PDB file of all heavy atoms in Angstrom:
ATOM      1  N   VAL V 147      25.170 -18.174   7.224  1.00 98.00           N
ATOM      2  CA  VAL V 147      25.002 -17.378   8.435  1.00 98.00           C
ATOM      3  C   VAL V 147      24.723 -15.935   8.065  1.00 98.00           C
ATOM      4  O   VAL V 147      25.301 -15.427   7.110  1.00 98.00           O
ATOM      5  CB  VAL V 147      26.320 -17.423   9.259  1.00 98.00           C
ATOM      6  CG1 VAL V 147      26.175 -16.655  10.557  1.00 98.00           C
ATOM      7  CG2 VAL V 147      26.740 -18.853   9.532  1.00 98.00           C
ATOM      8  N   SER V 148      23.838 -15.275   8.805  1.00 98.00           N
ATOM      9  CA  SER V 148      23.668 -13.843   8.581  1.00 98.00           C
ATOM     10  C   SER V 148      23.391 -13.119   9.894  1.00 98.00           C
ATOM     11  O   SER V 148      22.256 -13.013  10.343  1.00 98.00           O
ATOM     12  CB  SER V 148      22.533 -13.571   7.588  1.00 98.00           C
ATOM     13  OG  SER V 148      22.511 -12.197   7.288  1.00 98.00           O
ATOM     14  N   PRO V 149      24.443 -12.619  10.523  1.00 98.00           N
ATOM     15  CA  PRO V 149      24.272 -11.953  11.816  1.00 98.00           C
ATOM     16  C   PRO V 149      23.548 -10.615  11.671  1.00 98.00           C
ATOM     17  O   PRO V 149      23.699  -9.948  10.655  1.00 98.00           O
ATOM     18  CB  PRO V 149      25.708 -11.692  12.297  1.00 98.00           C
ATOM     19  CG  PRO V 149      26.613 -12.245  11.261  1.00 98.00           C
ATOM     20  CD  PRO V 149      25.831 -12.602  10.053  1.00 98.00           C
ATOM     21  N   SER V 150      22.800 -10.250  12.692  1.00 98.00           N
ATOM     22  CA  SER V 150      22.075  -8.976  12.621  1.00 98.00           C
ATOM     23  C   SER V 150      22.522  -7.985  13.690  1.00 98.00           C
ATOM     24  O   SER V 150      22.046  -6.864  13.708  1.00 98.00           O
ATOM     25  CB  SER V 150      20.573  -9.225  12.754  1.00 98.00           C
ATOM     26  OG  SER V 150      20.263  -9.569  14.088  1.00 98.00           O
ATOM     27  N   THR V 151      23.384  -8.411  14.602  1.00 98.00           N
ATOM     28  CA  THR V 151      23.836  -7.489  15.654  1.00 98.00           C
ATOM     29  C   THR V 151      25.362  -7.496  15.699  1.00 98.00           C
ATOM     30  O   THR V 151      25.994  -8.472  15.283  1.00 98.00           O
ATOM     31  CB  THR V 151      23.340  -7.934  17.049  1.00 98.00           C
ATOM     32  OG1 THR V 151      23.995  -9.183  17.371  1.00 98.00           O
ATOM     33  CG2 THR V 151      21.835  -8.130  17.081  1.00 98.00           C
ATOM     34  N   PRO V 152      25.973  -6.442  16.229  1.00 98.00           N
ATOM     35  CA  PRO V 152      27.431  -6.436  16.343  1.00 98.00           C
ATOM     36  C   PRO V 152      27.953  -7.619  17.174  1.00 98.00           C
ATOM     37  O   PRO V 152      28.976  -8.215  16.823  1.00 98.00           O
ATOM     38  CB  PRO V 152      27.718  -5.092  17.031  1.00 98.00           C
ATOM     39  CG  PRO V 152      26.599  -4.202  16.572  1.00 98.00           C
ATOM     40  CD  PRO V 152      25.388  -5.112  16.533  1.00 98.00           C
ATOM     41  N   ALA V 153      27.254  -7.993  18.227  1.00 98.00           N
ATOM     42  CA  ALA V 153      27.731  -9.106  19.063  1.00 98.00           C
ATOM     43  C   ALA V 153      27.727 -10.408  18.261  1.00 98.00           C
ATOM     44  O   ALA V 153      28.683 -11.188  18.293  1.00 98.00           O
ATOM     45  CB  ALA V 153      26.848  -9.258  20.304  1.00 98.00           C
ATOM     46  N   ASP V 154      26.650 -10.629  17.503  1.00 98.00           N
ATOM     47  CA  ASP V 154      26.593 -11.814  16.665  1.00 98.00           C
ATOM     48  C   ASP V 154      27.624 -11.743  15.534  1.00 98.00           C
ATOM     49  O   ASP V 154      28.180 -12.772  15.135  1.00 98.00           O
ATOM     50  CB  ASP V 154      25.195 -11.974  16.061  1.00 98.00           C
ATOM     51  CG  ASP V 154      24.308 -12.859  16.926  1.00 98.00           C
ATOM     52  OD1 ASP V 154      24.809 -13.395  17.946  1.00 98.00           O
ATOM     53  OD2 ASP V 154      23.118 -13.007  16.592  1.00 98.00           O
ATOM     54  N   ALA V 155      27.833 -10.552  15.017  1.00 98.00           N
ATOM     55  CA  ALA V 155      28.814 -10.414  13.934  1.00 98.00           C
ATOM     56  C   ALA V 155      30.158 -10.935  14.419  1.00 98.00           C
ATOM     57  O   ALA V 155      30.835 -11.717  13.741  1.00 98.00           O
ATOM     58  CB  ALA V 155      28.923  -8.954  13.496  1.00 98.00           C
ATOM     59  N   TYR V 156      30.519 -10.522  15.629  1.00 98.00           N
ATOM     60  CA  TYR V 156      31.796 -10.978  16.187  1.00 98.00           C
ATOM     61  C   TYR V 156      31.771 -12.484  16.445  1.00 98.00           C
ATOM     62  O   TYR V 156      32.610 -13.245  15.967  1.00 98.00           O
ATOM     63  CB  TYR V 156      32.113 -10.239  17.494  1.00 98.00           C
ATOM     64  CG  TYR V 156      33.405 -10.738  18.110  1.00 98.00           C
ATOM     65  CD1 TYR V 156      34.622 -10.158  17.772  1.00 98.00           C
ATOM     66  CD2 TYR V 156      33.413 -11.833  18.994  1.00 98.00           C
ATOM     67  CE1 TYR V 156      35.821 -10.640  18.293  1.00 98.00           C
ATOM     68  CE2 TYR V 156      34.598 -12.322  19.515  1.00 98.00           C
ATOM     69  CZ  TYR V 156      35.795 -11.725  19.167  1.00 98.00           C
ATOM     70  OH  TYR V 156      36.982 -12.213  19.670  1.00 98.00           O
ATOM     71  N   SER V 157      30.786 -12.897  17.202  1.00 98.00           N
ATOM     72  CA  SER V 157      30.780 -14.273  17.686  1.00 98.00           C
ATOM     73  C   SER V 157      30.603 -15.276  16.548  1.00 98.00           C
ATOM     74  O   SER V 157      31.294 -16.299  16.479  1.00 98.00           O
ATOM     75  CB  SER V 157      29.654 -14.430  18.711  1.00 98.00           C
ATOM     76  OG  SER V 157      29.690 -15.710  19.274  1.00 98.00           O
ATOM     77  N   LEU V 158      29.703 -14.999  15.650  1.00 98.00           N
ATOM     78  CA  LEU V 158      29.457 -15.946  14.557  1.00 98.00           C
ATOM     79  C   LEU V 158      30.633 -15.986  13.583  1.00 98.00           C
ATOM     80  O   LEU V 158      30.936 -17.032  13.015  1.00 98.00           O
ATOM     81  CB  LEU V 158      28.153 -15.595  13.825  1.00 98.00           C
ATOM     82  CG  LEU V 158      26.869 -15.818  14.642  1.00 98.00           C
ATOM     83  CD1 LEU V 158      25.638 -15.306  13.890  1.00 98.00           C
ATOM     84  CD2 LEU V 158      26.688 -17.300  15.006  1.00 98.00           C
TER      85      LEU V 158
END
Side-chain angles (χ1 to χ4, degrees):
Chain V
V147 182
S148 187
S150 73
T151 66
D154 267 356
Y156 178 89
S157 185
L158 291 174

